[in-house]
Amino acid sequence: MDAQGVPLSAAHGPVDVLVIGGGIVGLGAAYAAHRRGLSVAVVERQQRATGASIRNFGHLCVTPQTGQALAYGTVARELWRQLAAEAGLWLRETGTVVAARHPDELALIAALRRERETAGRPGEVVELGADEVRRLTGITAPELQGGALLPRDLQADPREAVPAVTAHLQAQGVRFHLRTAVTGIRSADGGVRVETTRGPLSAGTVVVAVGHDIDQLLPELAESADVQRCTLDMLRVAMPAAVRLEAPVLTGWSLIRYGAFASLPEAAPVRARLHGDRPDLAAIDLNQMYTQRPDGTLLVGDTHARDISPSPFQTEVAADLMLAETQALFGAAPRVIERWQGVYASGRGDYLVAEPQPGVHVAVVTTGIGMTTGLGLAEATISRVFGPAPALSHEGTS
Ligand SMILES: Cc1cc2nc3c(=O)[nH]c(=O)nc-3n(C[C@H](O)[C@H](O)[C@H](O)COP(=O)(O)OP(=O)(O)OC[C@H]3O[C@@H](n4cnc5c(N)ncnc54)[C@H](O)[C@@H]3O)c2cc1C
């Protein structure tokens, strides 16, 4: 039934593409299908999406990716810019600042700079002196050695982006079935029938973009791909006005996670030193990083713990450590405004892409880079079925 009590199948005929999940990947699939002139509906079980896509840093960190993630991230970067122009999203094209506090981190940065230059991608990693990093971030830590600017990276405001893209797609005629959960999917007669808590829907093609909830909707597929839930502790804090981040800030703890840095031989000594010196931070699997929201508050994170059924209880030990590290870096005490737990899918590779039944396409990012790459994954999913999209109107402007 819809909100008026009418069964969905009676109120709404079949669509070309039905997307399950209204996070960034689902919205990306809806946008990709709409751009090809297809009829599209999105089924989202919440009144508004409250999953990973609004709980994150909004850091669109393309340069630190490698392989498939870099390819998706490169496409997603242009889609973010297009969506910002169309939907009026807040999007900063200020890059990322890496703050290095040890010579081995500088060496790792230099190694990626050389690798990108050799690959014919000069200018993607620009080494910075300590004074420049201080100027761009307000960092005061005396051990700061220098760092880098990754100029191609972007920043969105995660709390604003998903609602704004949803409203934009609604205004373009994409149908949203909110507070409606999908309970089953079955291919039949050249189409797909989708059972929901408000009745059945049908479509030619279905995109399953439910993030970590893939383990509930398609449990056998999730099990076969070793999908677990990764839980992350996050904080939003107020800092003195001197702490102004001209761009998102990564630290050495970030460099040993993101593929492009982490896969280089120069990452090994960084990892060994950080884990040796700070087993307490290694134990919470810290990625010490920061973004500043348009209101000036800082998003601080994050910890990582993987489980099939994670504990909902956030230990204060993790928050205390993150706050102490923030104070040490910026030389000022953060005041906590909000705390929350984020969840994303974690699997063997970076993506779970599958067609478990004819016409049913699963698109799940199985590591913490869905804001950066999810629009690219979604575009590739629709492109596989319907072919290339028309050119973006802003293409060629950077
Ligand atoms: C704390 C944190 C920080 C992060 N930081 C970054 C970052 O800075 N940069 C970056 O690139 N990535 C980051 N990530 C990762 C990124 O947020 C995720 O990879 C991405 O948002 C996943 O998007 P999604 O659309 O697949 O999932 P989600 O945003 O979780 O959306 C899935 C949607 O599906 C809906 N749904 C589920 N089951 C059903 C059903 N049966 N029927 C109908 N609807 C259903 C849910 O309600 C949900 O709205 C972070 C993640 C977290 C948690």
Side-chain angles (χ1 to χ4, degrees):
M1 309 279 169
D2 68 8
Q4 281 75 46
V6 180
L8 288 192
S9 53
H12 305 288
V15 284
D16 295 322
V17 178
L18 187 138
V19 180
I20 309 172
I24 197 64
V25 176
L27 295 178
Y31 182 57
H34 177 71
R35 286 182 59 226
R36 288 164 170 84
L38 301 164
S39 58
V40 188
V42 178
V43 185
E44 164 57 50
R45 70 176 176 199
Q46 305 279 355
Q47 172 67 31
R48 56 181 185 280
T50 58
S53 301
I54 70 151
R55 300 185 193 198
N56 60 71
F57 289 97
H59 184 210
L60 313 177
C61 55
V62 180
T63 303
Q65 308 304 332
T66 187
Q68 184 67 72
L70 180 58
Y72 285 153
T74 302
V75 171
R77 181 179 189 274
E78 298 316 310
L79 289 164
W80 273 110
R81 296 178 73 231
Q82 177 78 25
L83 277 169
E86 282 180 23
L89 298 183
W90 185 89
L91 190 77
R92 288 212 292 182
E93 302 201 20
T94 47
T96 298
V97 172
V98 183
R101 289 172 286 181
H102 193 279
D104 59 19
E105 295 173 9
L106 293 178
L108 177 52
I109 288 167
L112 185 64
R113 194 250 310 139
R114 283 195 301 273
E115 190 203 76
R116 289 290 157 97
E117 283 173 357
T118 306
R121 304 173 75 130
E124 290 195 359
V125 179
V126 179
E127 286 157 277
L128 301 178
D131 286 346
E132 189 62 359
V133 174
R134 278 192 202 98
R135 189 187 68 76
L136 292 170
T137 61
I139 288 175
T140 59
E143 67 273 27
L144 187 73
Q145 305 271 314
L149 180 69
L150 314 178
R152 286 179 59 74
D153 292 358
L154 308 174
Q155 183 189 351
D157 182 12
R159 300 181 185 203
E160 181 236 19
V162 164
V165 175
T166 301
H168 177 63
L169 292 175
Q170 276 172 326
Q172 303 276 311
V174 173
R175 212 165 72 205
F176 279 75
H177 301 284
L178 301 173
R179 292 170 67 194
T180 305
V182 169
T183 53
I185 310 167
R186 190 164 46 84
S187 300
D189 307 327
V192 185
R193 182 180 158 105
V194 171
E195 303 297 337
T196 84
T197 43
R198 294 182 194 266
L201 288 166
S202 56
T205 295
V206 166
V207 177
V208 183
V210 295
H212 52 273
D213 288 317
I214 193 70
D215 63 354
Q216 297 182 356
L217 194 55
L218 296 171
E220 284 155 6
L221 178 69
E223 275 163 28
S224 72
D226 287 339
V227 174
Q228 298 188 57
R229 289 156 180 248
C230 181
T231 51
L232 304 89
D233 293 346
M234 294 282 288
L235 301 163
R236 183 162 78 95
V237 305
M239 295 293 282
V243 180
R244 284 228 55 85
L245 308 189
E246 296 297 331
V249 172
L250 299 182
T251 68
W253 290 97
S254 319
L255 303 186
I256 57 173
R257 318 187 69 84
Y258 292 120
F261 288 105
S263 59
L264 294 172
E266 289 80 359
V270 179
R271 184 178 295 106
R273 176 182 52 81
L274 287 172
H275 282 231
D277 287 356
R278 295 302 304 269
D280 51 346
L281 300 182
I284 58 170
D285 200 0
L286 179 70
N287 174 8
Q288 186 188 4
M289 62 170 286
Y290 304 89
T291 56
Q292 191 159 34
R293 296 195 61 222
D295 67 4
T297 57
L298 250 55
L299 301 184
V300 177
D302 54 8
T303 63
H304 300 80
R306 289 172 184 78
D307 204 336
I308 292 168
S309 294
S311 165
F313 306 113
Q314 296 176 268
T315 157
E316 198 63 8
V317 171
D320 286 347
L321 286 169
M322 289 195 286
L323 291 169
E325 290 306 300
T326 302
Q327 179 156 0
L329 191 65
F330 293 101
R335 181 171 59 80
V336 178
I337 299 172
E338 291 170 340
R339 298 162 196 262
W340 66 99
Q341 187 183 59
V343 185
Y344 64 64
S346 175
R348 270 200 304 271
D350 290 348
Y351 301 97
L352 173 52
V353 173
E355 189 177 355
Q357 302 175 43
V360 179
H361 297 269
V362 173
V364 176
V365 184
T366 46
T367 186
I369 55 173
M371 289 298 274
T372 306
T373 66
L375 293 179
L377 167 66
E379 169 62 30
T381 304
I382 295 297
S383 181
R384 252 195 338 271
V385 183
F386 297 101
L392 298 171
S393 59
H394 81 277
E395 249 168 16
T397 57
S398 90

